[in-house]
Amino acid sequence: MDARVDECERGDSNAQEDAPMEESEQNNKDMEVAPALVSVHPTQSSVAVALGSDLRVFNLLDNSAVSLMDESGGAYHNDSIRCIKYGTNGKLFVSAGDDKLVKVWSTDCWRCISTVVSEKRVSAVAISNDGLHVCFADKFGVVWVVDLPGFDGTEASLNKKAVPLLAHYCSIITSLDFSPDGRFIVSADRDFKIRVTVFPKKPLDGAHEIQSFCLGHTEFVSCLAFICTPDSPQGILVSGGGDSTVRMWDIISGSLLDTCEVGTKVESDATEGNCSTVTNICTIPECSLIAVAIQSLRGIMLLTCDLPSRTLSVAKVVSIVGENFVPTSLGSSISGGLLWMVTGASKLRGSDISSLSRVKVVSGFKKSSPNATEQEPAVLADSEIPGGAKLLEKLQGSISIDEKVFLAAADAVKTAMCNLLIKKQYSDEKREFRKRTRNDKKSKQ
């Protein structure tokens, strides 16, 4: 492990951080934009939004804002949150990011049951299907695992130490997910690779069996999601990336099943240029649709997955009319029939406000009876969103946002997202300066 970290610290271009540093910047990390994130409970009983270091949760069952409990004291996170995720059964929720803290929450009482300290900043998280292990990836391409005993939400907070599970050798891991049957953990990185690893029976001993590599993207892989099928318990993997494609994979063999060139479908809808990087994808369990967020698309693209033929095709584009709404994150539940979207970011430059989040919901995904009229996906008005004004006030920070402020901030979000996704190259002098001043140095035990 030390040799691998040392190799990274010598300045391998694959391990570059996400934003350039100038000597006039006292802390480069403070200038890195943090996109707003959304995650939905599997049964849609709650919705969570992360904006900067702020974690906001709304309970849809009793229509109230959630108060988080953390016995560690102080802020829940003291730097930008980069990843949030519910577990498969909804009992656990994980948040992590630039403060190098991985927090595991019990969703029954929304109490932090464990805080794990990472050696590096965290870029992705995943929870095993049985809820017994939390995995997270750091900025140097190492995936770590923490074991969690069974709990009922009343135990004292657990002090757990993470151990290395697997590594991508100095390539930043962008996404992490478990297969529907829990047999595999899938990791994607900035160097076009998707790795499928057998999740071992004893994860604390490391994961040494690679099932396959899914190779085909020609730019970084930004996101992963699974389609569940009756005949494939391991699921069908879909991925999006900087090459403006959504790809479908057989994870057992690593075979590429189909490619959908989404970039060529959105040029007329793009807000500027040809910014068609796929920033997020979300499968909608109740139908064979995949929602795709594209860097400059004001709305989402829906893809149809034909399971018998294993093919992808564009179904339609759902546009956000009248707003410069480019989603930064998507989320859905198992049975809610809704797609949740958020746009926004913190640490914005070029705007009068430092952070912004705006929540939208698309309906029309519920399975209907054979004789019922088929619903078309449609963007709900704010008054139609579950939770209504209370939810918007909690997750957005305010019920309404001034149009001029939103337009200015939305432009800043778009520019920042573009810069965030571009892989930076540095001169030797700047690289050495970054190494001297970065906050990711390995802590002494």
Side-chain angles (χ1 to χ4, degrees), residues 179-181 226-236 283 285 288 307:
S179 61
D181 62 1
F226 274 97
I227 302 169
C228 298
T229 66
D231 58 341
S232 299
Q234 73 277 2
I236 297 173
T283 55
S288 299
L307 294 176

Side-chain angles (χ1 to χ4, degrees), residues 398-419:
S398 63
I399 297 174
S400 61
I401 301 172
D402 182 84
E403 184 178 354
K404 291 182 180 179
V405 172
F406 180 74
L407 286 174
D411 284 339
V413 169
K414 180 180 61 181
T415 301
M417 285 294 290
C418 184
N419 293 336

Side-chain angles (χ1 to χ4, degrees), residues 172-198:
I172 296 173
I173 294 175
T174 57
S175 190
L176 200 61
D177 207 354
F178 279 90
S179 61
D181 62 1
R183 292 172 54 206
F184 305 101
I185 183 168
V186 184
S187 46
D189 66 28
R190 290 290 292 269
D191 289 318
F192 325 158
K193 298 191 304 298
I194 300 171
R195 169 174 164 169
V196 181
T197 307
V198 176

Side-chain angles (χ1 to χ4, degrees), residues 34 58 78 106 117 253 292 298 345 363 388 396 407 427 438:
F58 191 85
N78 52 43
S106 166
V117 179
S253 63
V292 183
R298 296 174 180 173
S363 67
Q396 295 181 169
L407 286 174
S427 65
R438 66 185 176 81

Side-chain angles (χ1 to χ4, degrees), residues 2-3 5 14 20 27 29-30 50 109 142 167 184 273 275-276 304 316 384 392 398 436:
D2 289 342
V5 172
N14 291 340
N27 193 339
K29 180 170 59 65
D30 287 341
C109 56
V142 181
F184 305 101
C275 297
S276 51
T304 299
K316 69 176 300 183
E384 299 172 323
L392 293 177
S398 63
R436 292 196 305 271

